[in-house]
Amino acid sequence: MTRRVGVVRFPGTNCEFDTIDAIRMLGGDAEILWHGDPSLKNVDAIVIPGGFAHGDYLRCGAIARFSPVMGAVASFAQEGGPILGICNGFQVLTEAGLLPGALQKNVGMKFLCSMQQVEFVSTQNILGRGSEVGDHLQIPINHFEGNYVCSPEVLSRIETREQIVFRYTDNPNGSTKDIAGVCNEAGNVVGMMPHPERATSALLGSSDGASVIKSFLS
Amino acid sequence: MHFEAKIEVSPRDGIANPEGSTIERALPALGFKTTHNVRVGKLIRLEVEAESVDVAQSLVEDMCNRFLTNPVIEDASVEVLEV
Amino acid sequence: MHFEAKIEVSPRDGIANPEGSTIERALPALGFKTTHNVRVGKLIRLEVEAESVDVAQSLVEDMCNRFLTNPVIEDASVEVLEV
Amino acid sequence: MSAAPEDASVHRALGLSDEEYQEIYRLLGRHPNHLELAMYSVMWSEHCSYKSSKVHLKRLPTEAPWVLVGPGENAGVIDVGDDIAVAIRIESHNHPSAIEPYQGAATGVGGILRDIFTMGARPIAVMDPLRFGPLDDPRSRWIAEGVISGVSGYGNSVGVPTVGGEIVFDETYKGNPLVNVLAMGVLPTERLVLGKASGVGNLAILLGSATGRDGIGGVSVLASSGFDEKSNDADKRPSVQVGDPFEEKRLLEACLELLEEGLVSGIQDLGGAGITCATSETASRGGAGMDVDVSAIHSREEGMEPFELMTSESQERMLAIVEPRHLERVLHISAQWEITASVIGRVTGTGQLRVLDSFDGEVLAELPASTLHDDAPEYKRPMSPPSDLAERRQSDASLGPVNCVEDLLSLLCDPSWVYSQYDHQLFLNTVVGPGNDGTLLRLRHPSTGEETGRGLALSTDGNHRWCYVDPREGTKMVVAEAVMNIACVGAHPLAVVNCLNFGNPEHPEVMWQLSEAVDGMSEACVAFNAPVVGGNVSLYNETNTIDIAPTPVIGVLGMHPALSDPPPTVDLPSDSLLVLLGQEPASNVSMGGSRWAWEIGGCKDGVLPEFDLDEAVRTASFVASSVQKLSLKAVHDIGEGGLAVALAEMAIRSGIGAKLNDYDNHISMFNESGGRVLVVVGNNDLDDFLEAASAEEVTAKVIGQTGGSLLEFGPTVEISVDALIAASESQLPDALGQGTVSA
Ligand SMILES: Nc1ncnc2c1ncn2[C@@H]1O[C@H](COP(=O)(O)OP(=O)(O)O)[C@@H](O)[C@H]1O
Ligand SMILES: [Mg+2]
């Protein structure tokens, strides 16, 4: 059966339709979940896509996390539902406390849009199916606040519990331990700064993101 | 009653502050050679109605904790003044 | 001598402050219904060596005018303390 | 009644000449009041009325069967088939960016995007041709950094990818940067709407940001006590607008939804001259009139006066003309996107624009709406070539200290420091992004997302050196370069937009430059069959009365007819043959206008190399079709810095070198003879390729082989590719690492 994915749209979100396109191309089905509507429309999985929810004002994700839909997303997470936060979505999930740590400004104090190589550090999560630890993927990044930080205690906890999902092989933004993506303890909520939906076609430069999205859809 | 609040949001000690470090790196070339430890935070001002200064203070502190700051990376101090 | 400077950078009066307005619009939904006129600026702290507090003050003011702020849209106030 | 105003200082302080005042008096049949004067002054400004340039712009070719909307509307619109239309426009934000670079650039991006979604199109691409003072000037660096962060900050956040542009540093822009922004959008052809108000009783709804005192510029004198002395009161008024990309994003989504549902009969963005312009323009285009209730305008500050509300240029606002029966739905959609909407006007049948204090209140101003546009003055300003032109043309621009290797290194600059700060991939269309010749985007239907199997190409180009030496020939060469850039990604041109950045129009040489540039552009556009569908004129670009070198910037839109695979890139492959397309210049080719002559030889004069426009047309078309057939292994056009810089850029991209036989002197390396392209073909494909070229009457010559780790221009000039890479990559970061100052 085709997976139905809900893609959350806040005011300021801009990757929602790209994400839907990629999901559909890879065999899933997808529809928009409006931030002001607490209903999840019985979807099987949720993506919080990239963009600038609420203009990224105050802090990325700070305002978005109070949206009516986010209460439902939190319960969905609790029940083990698969949730993927991409870029701004990752920021929203950390602000909402569904993922550990925080994302602050890149060390170079510049927005960065470029192809990046990331490595699978753990496959014990909704994105790892069909991949091996150590697999390398070419996936673009596109962010100003992608510099992952957390307290030393949190870091050692996520390291021992294999919650680090991706690492950059050439750290572009100063992230602690080159972290590019993390998951919650159960592995059903993942946040990543790179944009897998932008790496689903050779015509556009890479299709390495397809495996990640396919795993999410399975 | 009407109050003005000033909220100083600073990067937490021990957390790198890319904005401050970038400024710090640029300063010597501009002739400012004796400056260090630059840290950039936010300054939020707002007006609030409340029955008393204590109520206003705790209201704004609550706002800070729940919303205006992220405790993983920031500290805040709140100052409330009647106007 | 060693000084600590605190620089408060605020948007000039009459200049739009989209960040403040956006925060203001978000507050009622969080239960803060009596808040208005939210303005967001920057808070810069740094340390500086100088012969006297006056020299330190004017050094930091100069830094503000030439580098840290654009006086066309921002006002800055500088406070220098010896440590 | 006399035509002389009671107090002539008022209109003069507003920037209206005595003759212009007389004309207003004649049009109204009475003396205007201050509010009316303010409205005329903003609408008859150079910026809004094009009064100095109009007479020349009329000579541009603007028609073709595929042009749906030409110059004059908010954006040009092209029919690209499959029920898809493309809206395109370019604009300058030069002066605001000189004062507050970040916000100047940010609001420039915001403004051009509104021009696009006003037409019902979803903006899908921005390009940012940028020009700054020299990198060794700290203030120019401050402007450059601020502008680039402004484009990045606004463009990324509003959610439109910035897919290309230019970055140029030159003494001529010190104190007066050029910040041009091009935007392109796509719409279902049937959704095309125009900025027109018709239907008596229809409502004018102001959408978006509250109106503040920002950007009331010159008319702010009305608020001060005296007109002769500069009051500090005006000083306190913010002249700088702050952009809010989040507001713009919501406004964009709301407006597209209103248009999609067919709820508006006309829509217009608010740009220069604010509400005055939007209300009078919509009314006069629709042959109607309008009553405007100033008290209904949602304002950001208290106590704003009618003249402030009517002329404010606050950002992120639109005016929609709506039938009363749709009002409720319009307000609903606005509320959903958290957009403020106020009914501020009503369409009338009188042709008059009336400003009222509430709809049945006092009439504050009343004037025939069309007089603000149609009767704006039109000047035939005196023009003459510079008096020393003949003498300047005698100079030999090839003289100077020559060190081919060092000269080459100094001419390299990797712009990725700039474009890596821009989201250039959003919407999943970017097949060839910034860093190549042209940009190439997949063309998909804006509503259904269906692929057409075709691509849209974009390039922006300018060259102040060529245009300073010879504005007519230089502009021709610039158009050719833009077309050549899109040919390199497999596209043929469909349309051109242009931004004419010139100095003070009161200087006869400047008007001569402008006129020459227009004629050069016209000739080239006719030759390439690419009509001009829009543009913008920015005058008074000067510092301390020194005019900038004339800088027409050309944006070209092209079509790739069959896009299934990525086209060949700039990357040099090994073990292949380098072929030069286009006329190889004679050995005594002129170096006039070349970057080498300006920056190394120290000569800004001379003449341009001879340029054969017809051959350039044939070459461009041959390159485009070769790229489409995927018969090339690499391709790069030759622009500033000449063949040496073009080849070095190719080597830098792949880390692979090449060996040429006889290009080891500065003239053959760095001359900028136009219309040339470097291509790489496989050894086995050479014969077929040369035959195809000759069939199309395109000059083609094998000039070397690729491979190795050195770039050899001949026996005496060689350099390692690693050295080229290091020089190119470090150029911008090193220079900008020197720090910036705002004052
Ligand atoms: N300001 C900028 N913004 C975005 N892209 C830029 C900018 N400056 C240069 N680029 C990109 O870098 C590449 C090289 O630019 P340029 O040297 O001007 O090309 P050309 O000489 O072929 O016209 C182009 O793809 C261009 O779009
Ligand atoms: Mg090129």
Side-chain angles (χ1 to χ4, degrees), chain B residues 54-69:
Chain B
D54 289 348
V55 173
Q57 176 85 26
S58 76
L59 197 95
V60 178
E61 279 175 6
D62 181 35
M63 199 184 290
C64 259
N65 295 334
R66 283 174 53 209
F67 176 51
L68 296 179
T69 66

Side-chain angles (χ1 to χ4, degrees), chain D residues 488-575:
Chain D
C488 288
V489 295
H492 57 261
L494 290 176
V496 160
V497 290
N498 70 97
C499 197
L500 299 175
N501 305 280
F502 285 76
N504 185 336
E506 292 150 37
H507 300 164
E509 305 86 69
V510 170
M511 285 317 294
W512 172 80
Q513 290 168 339
L514 189 133
S515 168
E516 290 284 294
V518 165
D519 289 331
M521 189 191 327
S522 299
E523 191 185 335
C525 288
V526 168
F528 285 109
N529 199 13
V532 176
V533 297
N536 174 249
V537 180
S538 170
L539 301 175
Y540 298 99
N541 292 291
E542 56 184 343
T543 316
N544 303 327
T545 76
I546 311 244
D547 296 304
I548 60 159
T551 315
V553 169
I554 301 293
V556 62
L557 170 73
M559 169 68 67
H560 187 306
L563 178 60
S564 49
D565 298 282
T569 63
V570 169
D571 305 27
L572 202 62
S574 57
D575 303 323

Side-chain angles (χ1 to χ4, degrees), chain D residues 571-588:
Chain D
D571 305 27
L572 202 62
S574 57
D575 303 323
S576 308
L577 295 169
L578 259 175
V579 180
L580 178 69
L581 301 179
Q583 203 58 251
E584 172 112 67
S587 56
N588 60 349

Side-chain angles (χ1 to χ4, degrees), chain D residues 52-71:
Chain D
S52 302
S53 55
K54 232 184 325 194
V55 59
H56 298 290
L57 299 178
K58 286 176 185 157
R59 299 200 299 273
L60 293 169
T62 59
E63 283 172 15
W66 54 90
V67 175
L68 298 175
V69 178

Side-chain angles (χ1 to χ4, degrees), chain D residues 436-438 459 461 481 484-486 488 570 636-639 649:
Chain D
N436 299 284
D437 287 318
S459 177
D461 290 272
E481 156 139 33
M484 216 56 95
N485 276 324
I486 62 160
C488 288
V570 169
H636 192 23
D637 76 314
I638 297 177
E649 286 170 350

Side-chain angles (χ1 to χ4, degrees), chain A residues 9-19 21-22 25 34-35 50-57 63 109-115 140-142 144 195 197-205, chain D residues 122 145 149 152-153 156-160 243-247 249-250 253 257 336-338 417 419-432 442 444 449 451 563-567:
Chain A
R9 185 183 206 192
F10 302 101
T13 297
N14 63 31
C15 297
E16 66 273 44
F17 297 109
D18 293 1
T19 306
D21 282 352
M25 199 189 79
W34 180 246
H35 77 114
F52 289 72
H54 296 273
D56 275 0
Y57 289 135
I63 300 178
M109 282 304 290
K110 297 265 177 283
F111 190 98
L112 287 176
C113 176
S114 62
M115 189 59 91
I141 57 165
N142 187 65
F144 203 140
H195 283 258
E197 84 282 8
R198 294 188 177 191
T200 52
S201 142
L203 185 62
L204 304 178
Chain D
R122 176 174 286 279
E145 278 211 357
S149 332
S152 163
N156 298 345
S157 173
V158 77
V160 181
D244 182 355
F246 178 49
E247 179 82 29
K249 169 70 171 167
R250 287 179 290 120
E253 296 298 343
E257 217 166 298
Q336 187 172 14
W337 285 103
E338 298 169 36
W417 186 90
Y419 62 74
S420 63
Q421 297 183 48
Y422 303 155
D423 181 349
H424 49 259
Q425 299 172 321
L426 187 66
F427 302 140
L428 308 186
N429 292 326
T430 312
V431 176
V432 180
R442 289 199 287 179
R444 295 189 292 160
E451 296 209 34
L563 178 60
S564 49
D565 298 282

